[in-house]
Each structure stands twice: as structure tokens, then as C-alpha cells.
Amino acid sequence: DYFSALMSLAGVRFECLILSSGAVAIVLLGIVDDTKGMRARYKLLGQTGVAVFLCLGGFTISSLSLPFIGTADFG
């Protein structure tokens, strides 16, 4: 049972790798900013680069849930 659950993830291995890489890059940007201090424009440039990398990897945002307003669908 446990093995079959792991094998079901084999089909999404590439997506998990892309998403994990983006998450690690964002965490590293935060660590560098906290320890050495980073100019806001460079941190924003790094975050934008990670977002572009994730979009090229196939990740998109189709809707956004906003408190007190509701859900905004992007189509």
C-alpha cells in the first residue's frame, strides 16, 4: 500500500523537481537577504526569475482567493 502511493508520484516527478527547485531558490534568496542584506530591486529580480522559471516549467495561477472579496478567476 505504501509502495503503491510512492509509485503514483513517479508520473509527476518532473513537476515536483521544478517546484522544489523554485522553493529552494526562494528560501535561499530569503536567507541571503536576512544574513547579508539585499537591495530590494535585486531580491525582486531574483523572485521574478524564479517565477519565470516556474512558469516555463508549466506552473500557472488560474485563480486567487482574496479575503473578504472572494475568488478571482484568471481564465
Side-chain angles (χ1 to χ4, degrees), residues 11-24:
V12 293
R13 189 171 37 197
F14 179 73
E15 288 84 4
C16 287
L17 179 66
I18 295 292
L19 190 60
S20 300
S21 300
V24 167

Side-chain angles (χ1 to χ4, degrees), residues 23-68:
V24 167
I26 291 293
V27 167
L28 289 176
L29 273 172
I31 289 172
V32 169
D33 183 38
D34 289 345
T35 58
K36 298 188 183 239
M38 233 181 175
R39 300 193 101 190
R41 70 180 75 162
Y42 297 130
K43 187 173 181 182
L44 180 62
L45 183 65
Q47 291 170 340
T48 304
V50 171
V52 168
F53 171 74
L54 289 173
C55 286
L56 291 174
F59 289 92
T60 59
I61 298 174
S62 60
S63 66
L64 185 65
S65 179
L66 301 169
F68 307 112

